[in-house]
Amino acid sequence: MHRPEDEPAPTIRSRRHLRTTAVTIALGAVMFTVGAIGLSPSSSSTSPTSASASTPTGPARGIEALRGRVKRLPKDPVSWADLGMALVQQARTTADQATYSQAETALRRSLALQPAENLHAEIGMGALAAARHQFRDALTWARKAIETSPATPASYGVLADAHTQLGQYEEAEDAVQKMADLRPDSASLARASYTLELRGDTVRATALMERALRAAGTPGERAFARTHLSSLALDSGDSATALRQARAGLDIAPRDAGLLEARAKASEAAGDRDQAVADYTGAVATAPLPQYLLALGELQQSLGHQERAEAQYAVLRAQETLRRATGTPADVDAILFEADHGNPRQAVTMAEAAVRERPFLAVHDAYAWALHRAGRDPEALAEADEALVLGTRSALFLYHRGAIHQALGTTTAARHDLEQALALDPSFHPLHAPAAREALRRIDDTP
């Protein structure tokens, strides 16, 4: 019987120097770190690839089963590592910092029982570090796992994720290629799709994500693929397909926050803002992450519901207070929120710290916008160019650079970026898309 994973591994190195793309930056810091990391060909919602680990088949029930296993086998390092990985997955979907701490405790217990060549725990620690945006630590753990088992694909997945977020795109591409060569399954195919998307080949990116969907062995993998197929469609201006993919995913995982966000974006693009509000509200209820809170708040603001918007912004401010107390770098959405709804100078400070730790495209863009909002447009333009260095055709990135060009008086460049942003997605942002149209009107009215 033909299986998708039996097809040849995709070749992505040959397209390395392509420089146009329509990437969905919202895939974010841990796009693949847990959701498609891959530890076992027959395992859980966290695992599409190969190694010999076994992980849970359902989030809460799986964790309880693993807790039971470590009680029965308290000296089994694999059981502790599996529990740790399952907890990382749960924390990623619920944004619960206490669960991350529990995951670290379980993983370190595994390492205490087996300090050397503990592949499961090493991969788990890499995934945990990436989920916490500690990408240099993730890189260290991935390399340690590769040293332990050079033929385990999941290790290269963590390596690729860390390289990507550290702005080391060619190194990430090499790691993805190695992962796909070892086993072209759902996890590696999804990463290969993202690599091609970053490099601009959205046709092949979609084809590979569809292949990842066909190869998916669990509901979690299928939901993951549907989420990103929806994003790819929306970035290509096809809101109908984006909506269809998101709905198909929600049939499998009705409370998945990423799929709710995908349907919210597609619904907003189709003009159904009530559905968008409902879906963002559901995403926030599942995982109160900054990206969902900010999206819901700005959508409510665009609808004239200022009090409802402020309710979301209040949660974001509370999260920022907690973040400062821990000293961890700010996420992209927290920087953008501070730039647009708080203190732009503080946003610059946040972005400077973030870009040192995570020089990824989206962080450069947030830094650019913070600098612009703080009135530092020459510096902002340099960061905006860095965000678009791969040729990224993100509507939001292009709008940001267009606004910076307009502030600098370079109207031809401003018009080009603003028009491109609106051509990519006329409803790319509930507040900034109207601002882009107004900016173009002002340019047209200027003698």
Side-chain angles (χ1 to χ4, degrees):
M1 183 177 67
H2 175 76
R3 298 179 303 171
E5 62 267 32
D6 292 332
E7 297 176 30
T11 301
I12 58 178
R13 288 194 183 105
S14 62
R15 304 301 292 271
R16 170 168 291 174
H17 298 294
L18 194 60
R19 285 294 184 266
T20 58
T21 181
V23 61
T24 303
I25 296 302
L27 296 177
V30 283
M31 173 181 176
F32 302 111
T33 300
V34 182
I37 190 169
L39 286 177
S40 165
S42 61
S43 62
S44 72
S45 60
T46 67
S47 55
T49 7
S50 67
S52 55
S54 173
T55 45
T57 56
R61 286 179 298 176
I63 287 173
E64 288 309 307
L66 287 169
R67 289 190 193 279
R69 187 171 11 139
V70 298
K71 286 182 180 179
R72 295 192 306 274
L73 303 169
K75 294 186 178 181
D76 178 23
V78 173
S79 295
W80 282 106
D82 287 348
L83 174 60
M85 179 62 81
L87 288 166
V88 173
Q89 167 71 355
Q90 184 180 68
R92 187 187 69 86
T93 56
T94 62
D96 183 0
Q97 296 302 314
T99 306
Y100 281 129
S101 297
Q102 294 172 22
E104 183 174 1
T105 297
L107 291 167
R108 291 201 179 280
R109 175 62 176 160
S110 176
L111 288 165
L113 290 166
Q114 184 181 329
E117 298 187 349
N118 187 339
L119 178 65
H120 299 174
E122 290 159 2
I123 293 173
M125 288 295 289
L128 174 63
R132 287 173 160 174
H133 291 191
Q134 298 165 348
F135 295 107
R136 289 180 175 83
D137 289 345
L139 203 63
T140 298
W141 282 108
R143 287 168 172 162
K144 189 174 182 63
I146 290 168
E147 184 178 349
T148 297
S149 178
T152 298
S155 306
Y156 295 95
V158 177
L159 185 70
D161 299 342
H163 277 311
T164 298
Q165 297 301 319
L166 292 171
Q168 300 161 356
Y169 304 112
E170 292 191 356
E171 292 88 342
E173 185 178 303
D174 288 339
V176 172
Q177 185 68 65
K178 180 65 174 177
M179 186 182 187
D181 288 344
L182 285 167
R183 185 177 175 85
D185 65 355
S186 189
S188 59
L189 290 167
R191 282 180 175 83
S193 169
Y194 187 46
T195 298
L196 291 170
E197 189 182 359
L198 280 170
R199 296 298 183 184
D201 194 344
T202 54
V203 173
R204 288 179 70 209
T206 300
L208 281 179
M209 194 60 80
E210 288 172 346
R211 185 174 159 191
L213 175 62
R214 295 194 302 272
T218 70
E221 291 170 14
R222 287 189 286 275
F224 183 89
R226 293 285 188 189
T227 300
H228 300 300
L229 283 168
S230 178
S231 295
L232 282 163
L234 194 60
D235 285 347
S236 300
D238 188 352
S239 61
T241 297
L243 195 56
R244 178 174 56 80
Q245 292 287 2
R247 286 170 174 166
L250 287 165
D251 287 342
I252 302 166
R255 296 182 61 191
D256 184 275
L259 282 165
L260 287 168
E261 180 192 33
R263 188 169 67 181
K265 289 181 176 180
S267 296
E268 189 176 354
D272 189 351
R273 290 191 162 191
D274 289 342
Q275 183 65 57
V277 167
D279 283 336
Y280 278 129
T281 302
V284 167
T286 299
L289 295 172
Q291 69 196 67
Y292 307 142
L293 290 161
L294 183 57
L296 177 57
E298 290 182 330
L299 180 56
Q300 294 281 24
Q301 184 176 338
S302 75
L303 294 171
H305 304 154
Q306 193 61 40
E307 289 187 6
R308 297 176 188 176
E310 286 298 332
Q312 308 308 315
Y313 298 161
V315 179
L316 281 163
R317 292 187 183 100
Q319 289 183 348
E320 175 59 15
T321 299
L322 291 173
R323 183 200 66 80
R324 290 180 191 172
T326 64
T328 56
D331 206 346
V332 166
D333 297 285
I335 297 167
L336 294 175
F337 169 71
E338 192 68 34
D340 282 329
H341 306 282
N343 183 339
R345 291 182 180 179
Q346 178 61 32
V348 170
T349 300
M350 293 162 62
E352 286 171 344
V355 82
R356 282 195 298 270
E357 293 299 316
R358 182 189 164 204
F360 180 54
L361 302 175
V363 185
H364 284 291
D365 171 71
Y367 190 15
W369 191 241
L371 288 164
H372 166 67
R373 296 284 292 169
R376 296 164 58 178
D377 288 299
E379 297 166 82
L381 182 59
E383 290 298 322
D385 285 341
E386 188 66 29
L388 290 157
V389 71
L390 297 183
T392 304
R393 294 174 62 228
S394 158
L396 184 63
F397 288 13
L398 287 163
Y399 165 70
H400 285 165
R401 191 171 69 175
I404 294 165
H405 274 303
Q406 188 175 28
L408 291 169
T410 50
T411 55
T412 300
R415 178 194 293 279
H416 177 268
D417 283 344
L418 294 169
E419 288 179 342
Q420 273 209 314
L422 291 168
L424 277 173
D425 184 356
S427 60
F428 68 89
H429 190 280
L431 301 176
H432 294 324
R437 284 188 281 272
E438 174 61 19
L440 284 170
R441 186 193 63 76
R442 290 198 303 270
I443 291 172
D444 290 338
D445 290 345
T446 301

